Amino acid sequence: MKALIIGAGIGGMSAAAALKQQGIECDIFEAVKEIKPVGAALSIWSNGVKCMNHLGMGSIIDELGGPMHNMAYHDGITGSVMTQFSLAPLVDAVGERPCPVSRADLQSQMVDWWGRDKIQFGKRIEKVEQSDIGVTAYFTDGSSATGDFMIAADGTHSAVRADVIGYQTERRYADYVNWNGLVEIDESIAPADQWTTFVGEGKRVSIMPIAAGRFYFFFDVPLPKGLAEDRSTVVADLTGYFTGWAEPVQKLIAAINPETTNRIEIHDIEPFDTLVKGNIALLGDAAHSTTPDIGQGGCSALEDAVVLGQCFADQFKEKGKTVSGVLAALKQYEEERRFRVKDLVLKARKRCDVTHGKDMQETQAWYDELRHETGENIIAGLRATIVSGPLA
Ligand code: FAD
């Protein structure tokens, strides 16, 4: 029984880990020769941490996770605290902590956990063929590979998605630009154990601690698509967009390294119901591409992998390691994931619009709410998202 896994991102690596737990051999194919992550870091929320533990990769999170114990919102202009609270009630309620991690380190350690030399790099899939008994992947270098089934975890620009869902999807611009990177922790910018966010004018500046004394930072600014901005103009661009903002924001802009700061126009994809066609399944961003506004894209890829493994366990118990067992497992995976992932994409989209001033009155109402927030409502929202995952 062999799976072809396309993509060695969080989705592909976690899918391979889940299938290995079910005794399935996996061949992993990755398009690039060297993985260069698009963002500096990720918040792996408690649902994602539980998945990493379940998949046997919990030690990676233990090593990379930052000490994010508190949360605060500040008025971006005056710098005054709008709300500040401990995340301990969340951790108590869901039974696991959230962990911001360096994305490059996470991906690199997941690859090393599997065995870097067992992954086939430089293999970009361009075509797939399926039959009743298996699946064949054709790569741009002219080579091909066959397996019993395929997990396409080839990201938001998936080359396999259209074959599975029957049409080409368009990515939807979310109307804002995100700059992100890492800086050394400086407590005059924000406390070293807190997720701190400055908000105002539909913009936001966020800072989270990751391991090894570093802050993950990001700036969001609502902007049209396609502006001529890049790394060479990043400090001037941010200085302009955040003129008049509080001192910690100015300090952060002064501290960033333009060479390692990413500028990303944020997109998502309208959710779809089909995640599986016969013996091919989409997983991770290939299956559900979300804005990062609730920090659940990578976490939901981890959830996909856990559920995938559970479906194979169920179906192999009933049908044995057979073709019909594989087809039933993939169908069950689709059934168990499609509503959850659609919900996450739409939830993130809603959060995105409020945060980024799509309707400034609504955004202002949210700022007013934050000034009366004790932490209870925010924790209830985070908790609801987390406990709807597979390992609640
Ligand atoms: P990817 O990470 O895109 O990996 C896909 C892999 O497939 C890549 O290595 C790629 O090279 C390879 N590939 C692509 N095409 C082919 C092909 N044709 N053949 C073979 N291989 C191919 N998520 C969170 O959980 N928490 C966060 O805080 C968070 N913050 C984010 C911040 C930003 C700015 C962004 C943009 C995203 C954020 N996300 C976050 C989302 C998260 O990054 C993604 O959901 C996650 O990386 C998806 O993993 P994946 O493996 O499905 O896709």
Side-chain angles (χ1 to χ4, degrees):
M1 181 62 60
K2 186 166 79 180
L4 304 183
I5 310 267
I6 309 298
I10 298 170
M13 296 318 302
S14 54
L19 294 176
K20 188 179 173 198
Q21 286 180 334
Q22 303 310 321
I24 297 169
E25 188 189 333
C26 297
D27 285 353
I28 306 177
F29 301 91
E30 165 55 51
V32 299
K33 294 217 162 81
E34 193 192 340
I35 295 182
K36 290 199 180 116
V38 293
L42 294 168
S43 50
I44 301 295
W45 285 96
S46 315
N47 53 322
V49 175
K50 284 186 188 187
C51 292
M52 285 292 282
N53 291 337
H54 178 91
L55 295 170
M57 294 186 283
S59 59
I60 298 178
I61 296 292
D62 291 343
E63 187 185 329
L64 300 180
M68 190 171 80
H69 302 311
N70 301 302
M71 188 167 170
Y73 279 91
H74 291 245
D75 181 311
I77 314 291
T78 66
S80 65
V81 177
M82 299 163 101
T83 181
Q84 183 173 33
F85 51 90
S86 164
L87 286 169
L90 175 71
V91 179
D92 290 345
V94 303
E96 189 50 87
R97 70 211 189 283
C99 283
V101 297
S102 150
R103 184 195 282 258
D105 292 345
L106 176 70
Q107 292 201 332
S108 175
Q109 292 214 14
M110 288 177 92
V111 164
D112 285 341
W113 180 87
W114 182 263
R116 199 168 286 269
D117 52 346
K118 287 192 268 168
I119 296 170
Q120 302 194 46
F121 289 95
K123 294 281 179 189
R124 180 175 294 277
I125 193 171
E126 60 174 352
K127 201 175 99 184
V128 58
E129 264 173 22
Q130 57 188 151
S131 72
D132 291 345
I133 51 155
V135 58
T136 305
Y138 295 92
F139 302 102
T140 50
D141 63 0
S143 63
S144 64
T146 57
D148 296 286
F149 65 100
M150 174 184 288
I151 304 299
D154 55 341
T156 188
H157 301 284
S158 173
V160 181
R161 186 192 294 126
D163 276 301
V164 172
I165 69 173
Y167 60 92
Q168 287 288 352
T169 48
E170 292 277 319
R171 296 205 319 147
R172 185 198 69 107
Y173 181 48
D175 292 323
Y176 77 96
V177 173
N178 167 285
W179 289 258
N180 64 71
L182 304 177
V183 289
E184 266 180 44
I185 283 186
D186 172 351
E187 292 221 77
S188 68
I189 296 175
D193 62 352
Q194 180 171 284
W195 176 14
T196 307
T197 301
F198 294 82
V199 290
E201 304 168 341
K203 304 171 193 169
R204 86 174 148 164
V205 182
S206 238
I207 303 127
M208 285 180 186
I210 63 164
R214 293 168 296 172
F215 275 144
Y216 165 46
F217 68 81
F218 59 88
F219 297 82
D220 290 351
V221 180
L223 286 172
K225 202 174 147 110
L227 293 183
E229 295 176 341
D230 60 21
R231 284 199 172 127
S232 64
T233 60
V234 62
V235 172
D237 295 337
L238 291 175
T239 302
Y241 294 132
F242 293 95
T243 299
W245 277 52
E247 189 54 28
V249 174
Q250 306 306 333
K251 272 198 164 165
L252 178 60
I253 294 171
I256 67 176
N257 176 357
E259 290 307 312
T260 55
T261 299
N262 308 294
R263 181 189 186 279
I264 303 170
E265 293 177 334
I266 298 296
H267 291 76
D268 67 9
I269 293 176
E270 191 62 33
F272 41 86
D273 285 325
T274 308
L275 306 182
V276 169
K277 185 178 169 201
N279 46 21
I280 304 178
L282 302 174
L283 186 144
D285 277 12
H288 41 81
S289 215
T290 173
T291 68
D293 289 270
I294 57 170
Q296 283 289 340
C299 295
S300 52
L302 291 165
E303 287 188 359
D304 288 348
V306 166
V307 171
L308 185 74
Q310 289 171 338
C311 295
F312 273 96
D314 289 351
Q315 296 299 333
F316 280 178
K317 212 180 287 164
E318 217 174 283
K319 299 189 162 70
K321 273 192 182 175
T322 58
V323 171
S324 66
V326 168
L327 295 178
L330 295 180
K331 211 62 207 161
Q332 184 185 339
Y333 158 78
E334 176 180 66
E335 212 36 54
E336 291 191 17
R337 289 306 288 161
R338 63 197 173 112
F339 295 113
R340 166 71 167 164
V341 296
K342 184 186 268 190
D343 180 56
L344 289 175
V345 172
L346 297 179
K347 214 178 212 178
R349 191 180 281 184
K350 201 165 168 197
R351 193 65 259 144
C352 165
D353 290 348
V354 175
T355 303
H356 300 105
K358 187 162 188 176
D359 170 351
M360 211 44 216
Q361 256 184 342
E362 222 182 303
T363 303
Q364 189 56 51
W366 174 55
Y367 295 160
D368 295 342
E369 259 172 46
L370 286 176
R371 292 194 174 85
H372 298 104
E373 173 67 52
T374 59
E376 214 174 306
N377 292 314
I378 291 179
I379 285 180
L382 293 167
R383 179 174 184 270
T385 299
I386 290 165
V387 301
S388 307
L391 298 175

